Amino acid sequence: MAKINSIGILTSGGDAPGMNAAIRAVTRSAICNGLKVFGIYRGYKGLVTDEIIEFKSQNVSNIIQMGGTILKTARCQEFRTAEGRAQAYENMKKHGIDALVVIGGDGSLTGARILAQEFDIPCIGLPGTIDNDLYGTDTTIGYDTALNTILDAVDKIRDTATSHERLFFVEVMGRDAGFLALNGAIAAGAEAAIIPEFSTEVDQLEQFIEHGFRKSKSSSIVLVAESELTGGAMHYAERVKNEYPQYDVRVTILGHLQRGGRPTAHDRIIASRMGVASIQALLEGQRNVMIGIENDKIVYVPFAKAIKNDKPIDKELVNVLHELSI
Ligand code: ADP
């Protein structure tokens, strides 16, 4: 196996708080271990268009506390084509980059996997997404911060919901995963969560109403995961207006504010641990794996597993929310 002397690092897809902490950790750990580091701007786009500069330790000073990503992120159609990836490979060769660390979600890791297969380049993925939807890791970089942002917003909505005795549907992100909605609902003391994982099993609105909605409550808050499978908060608000016109219904879509903000301690710590682990993995000869954390231990998850498998929702969480919302 060829020795690795130099690595490239990029952030891709949806941004997530804690990505900067990961960039810092990868850069500094690589330098500590005698490797050269190149920062690649705008995800795969920068790899294709050669927006690549060498990073020293100072390039990542004072960023651990910042949301977003200093490397910027982008979605790159060209990288989905064989020609685009060939151009990316040429640029890597030009700079002498032997391996890549990719921080991003499902799509970004899919791109890394394909590039690794086509050009035999070691690639390591770090799970950077607020959605927590990558298999093989208990949590992803950005998820805890987004959860806390949701909590803060829902606490505020609760004040007005209680004062007016209203039913609020609050839409949160998650793509096709319900982790933010379900755990957000538990943490905020919401009455229910409507999540895509159960969209075909039961009518979650019927269940919520039957479960005794407003029996003893002056207000109710339901978190709805944005997803075509659930139809989103608007869909449920319309249904309630039609089927239960006695209720005073409002909708709040939290939107992009969920992506921003200073990363929590938890996200900074896992990003730092995963960043250091990505360099260790490369030095150990690992390739084409995502770094995960399971039971507080670093694990290597083959890309194929991380991308292809659906991460299951723990039914115990559903029960916790159900019992506590009486
Ligand atoms: P995320 O990483 O947050 O899931 P996307 O799904 O938008 O975000 O993916 C980010 C980028 O990864 C895409 O813009 C594209 O450049 C690359 N990518 C995603 N899927 C593929 C694929 N099947 N082949 C090649 N590149 C891909």
Side-chain angles (χ1 to χ4, degrees), residues 17 58 120 183 256:
Q58 303 87 281
D120 196 24
N183 279 319
H256 282 84

Side-chain angles (χ1 to χ4, degrees), residues 12-14 44 74-76 79-80 85 104-108 110-111 114 175:
S12 165
Y44 293 120
R75 296 201 154 92
C76 176
F79 195 76
R80 293 178 183 269
R85 291 191 295 274
D106 200 42
S108 304
T110 305
I114 294 172
R175 204 129 68 158

